Every structure is written in C-alpha cells, then in structure tokens.
Amino acid sequence: MVAAVAMFSLMDTTMKLLAAHYPAMQVTVLRSFSSLPLVCAWVAYRGRFGTILNVNWKLQLLRGALGIGMLTMFAFALKSMPLAETYSVFFIAPALITALSVLVLKERVDAMQWLAIVVGLGGVLVVLRPEGTSFISVAGLAVLGSAACYAVSAIASRILSRTDSNEQIMFWILIMMGCGALPLALPGWVALRLEHWPIIAALAVTGFLGQLAITRAFSMGKASVVAPFEYTALAWGVAIDWALWNTLPDGWTLVGAAIIIGSGIYLVRREAVHSEAEHP
C-alpha cells in the first residue's frame, strides 16, 4: 500500500504538470489511454482476455462515468492547489464511503461513526479556511466533487467485485474513462508537445504500477490494516510540493489534515471491529 501511494503521488504530480498546459478533460484522456497498453499486456499475461466481456456492464459504465468526473475535477483542482492541500481535502472520501454504505449497502453505522464523519467534514472546512475564502473557490469544490465520485465508485466496486475479476475491473475502467472523455476533450484538444512525452510515459507507468500495488495490497491484507497507509500520500504531497514548487502547507492545512486523517482511521478501525463482531 505504501508503494501504491508513492506511485499514485508521482502519477498525480505528472497530472499536475500536464494540467498546466492541457485542459483537465484532456488530462483524463491521457491518464486513461497511456496506461492501457500496460494493462492489456498484464491481462494477456494473466490469461484473462477470454472472459474480458463477461462483466456487469451497468456498474462498469457507472464506474467509467464516475472515473471521468473524478479525474477531471482532480486535474482541474491541481492547476491552482498544491498537492498536499488537494490530498488533505480528498481524504474526506473514507467518511463519504462510510455514509454511502448505509444508504446503498444497508450496512450498520453507529453514532460514533456518524460523529467521526461529521468531524471529518469539519476538518475539510479547516483545510479550506475557516473564513471561507477558499471554501467558495472552484478548485476546492472540485476536490470535494472528485472525492464524492471516488466514494460512489468505491461502493460500486464493492458490488462489482462480487462478479467481476480485478483484471476486468482494471481493463474496463480505463476503456470507459478514455472513450467517454475523448469526445468531450476533442473540441478543446491541445496538440501534445514533444517535451511532454516523457511526462506522459511517467504517467502511464506510475498509474499502472500504482493500480497493481493497491490491488495486491487489498488482496493480501485486511482493509482495516491496509487502508490507513493511504494517508502517507500527505507526506509525499508535502515533499513533492517543496521539491518542485517550493511550496509548504500552512498551519491550517496541517491541522485540518490531522482532523480528517484521524476521523478516517477511526472509521476504518471501527468498521473492522463491527466486522469481527459479526463474523468472529
């Protein structure tokens, strides 16, 4: 999981670099199609192309649409927000997933978990500034929208994993996002510069390796043990911001991030306790 977070942090860095020169929707297309050859090679190596069409098409299409929204809003936010601040807001996703699990999966969430969700939302307000100047920014709202898309997609993935394999899920999410975003990106398409091809290559490799690592992590260990390591992204965000853009998060961002991370870890641990109680 630590390796996966490292790869995704580097992937987000390449997206931020590309978002400075290309529209957000075009960055989504590049993210999807750049990793596709590597995923196809992996699926072929696993011998799973024979069953690639036997999937839950409704949920695959839903995840594709959500993926387009998530990546496009995230890329848009990265144009004007540092990585560390963007990650801090995006960390509200576990709380949103917990809340949605009640509505969609009919899972039980107790009063303390609801309190943790509210505390996590309060942490988002802290990161986006108590006085509200950043809360009304389009970039800040875009990150929240991206986290919401991720949360809904995670719920869909839980249902999808009952019928579809990891290879099918990885393959079709890239196909759906790429094919869905391409028609939307074409009207404003900007010709790719030669000097940006190494960045696109890095985007492809880091995205592919990150997806492989996170899939392996959740197949090897319990979600309650693996998931908290996702918060190591904040350390990567701070380091990359400082190394490339000479930017460091201010005190409010760190306080808000601590609140969000604390509530997220509590939710994951609390869910593990409930799971053990129901399935001893």
Side-chain angles (χ1 to χ4, degrees), residues 9-150:
S9 297
L10 294 174
M11 182 195 77
D12 292 339
T13 302
T14 64
M15 289 179 61
K16 183 175 177 65
L17 293 170
L18 292 171
H21 303 278
Y22 305 101
M25 190 63 72
Q26 184 172 343
V27 174
T28 298
V29 174
L30 294 174
R31 161 67 186 100
S32 304
F33 284 146
S34 64
S35 294
L36 188 58
L38 295 174
V39 172
C40 287
W42 181 65
V43 173
Y45 171 76
R46 299 275 294 174
R48 298 297 178 88
F49 264 120
T51 59
I52 204 68
L53 295 177
N54 301 328
V55 296
N56 185 329
W57 288 107
K58 289 182 179 180
L59 285 181
Q60 291 284 2
L61 287 168
L62 174 62
R63 290 193 72 242
L66 291 169
I68 292 172
M70 179 189 71
L71 278 180
T72 302
M73 287 187 282
F74 195 82
F76 176 83
L78 286 176
K79 286 186 176 183
S80 56
M81 290 179 66
L83 277 175
E85 187 174 339
T86 305
Y87 286 155
S88 297
V89 178
F90 195 85
F91 285 157
I92 195 61
L96 298 179
I97 291 171
T98 301
L100 286 172
S101 68
V102 177
L103 301 175
V104 180
L105 302 178
K106 307 303 180 183
E107 295 181 356
R108 183 173 63 88
V109 175
D110 60 29
M112 292 302 296
Q113 287 174 294
W114 281 116
L115 179 59
I117 292 172
V118 173
V119 170
L121 291 172
V124 171
L125 293 178
V126 173
V127 174
L128 294 178
R129 303 301 181 270
E131 71 271 15
T133 55
S134 293
F135 182 72
I136 60 174
S137 72
V138 178
L141 294 177
V143 182
L144 287 176
S146 179
C149 287
Y150 175 81

Side-chain angles (χ1 to χ4, degrees), residues 101-218:
S101 68
V102 177
L103 301 175
V104 180
L105 302 178
K106 307 303 180 183
E107 295 181 356
R108 183 173 63 88
V109 175
D110 60 29
M112 292 302 296
Q113 287 174 294
W114 281 116
L115 179 59
I117 292 172
V118 173
V119 170
L121 291 172
V124 171
L125 293 178
V126 173
V127 174
L128 294 178
R129 303 301 181 270
E131 71 271 15
T133 55
S134 293
F135 182 72
I136 60 174
S137 72
V138 178
L141 294 177
V143 182
L144 287 176
S146 179
C149 287
Y150 175 81
V152 178
S153 180
I155 296 296
S157 295
R158 288 187 184 182
I159 302 173
L160 193 61
S161 62
R162 300 170 185 170
T163 57
D164 296 4
S165 67
N166 290 330
E167 292 83 3
Q168 291 169 322
I169 292 173
M170 281 183 63
F171 177 82
W172 285 112
I173 186 62
L174 294 180
I175 291 289
M176 299 290 183
M177 287 195 304
C179 293
L182 183 59
L184 300 174
L186 283 177
W189 191 269
V190 177
L192 299 177
R193 300 181 190 175
L194 183 62
E195 63 267 26
H196 291 156
W197 278 106
I199 300 176
I200 296 172
L203 173 66
V205 173
T206 53
F208 171 70
L209 293 178
Q211 193 62 52
L212 277 185
I214 197 170
T215 300
R216 181 65 173 165
F218 280 110

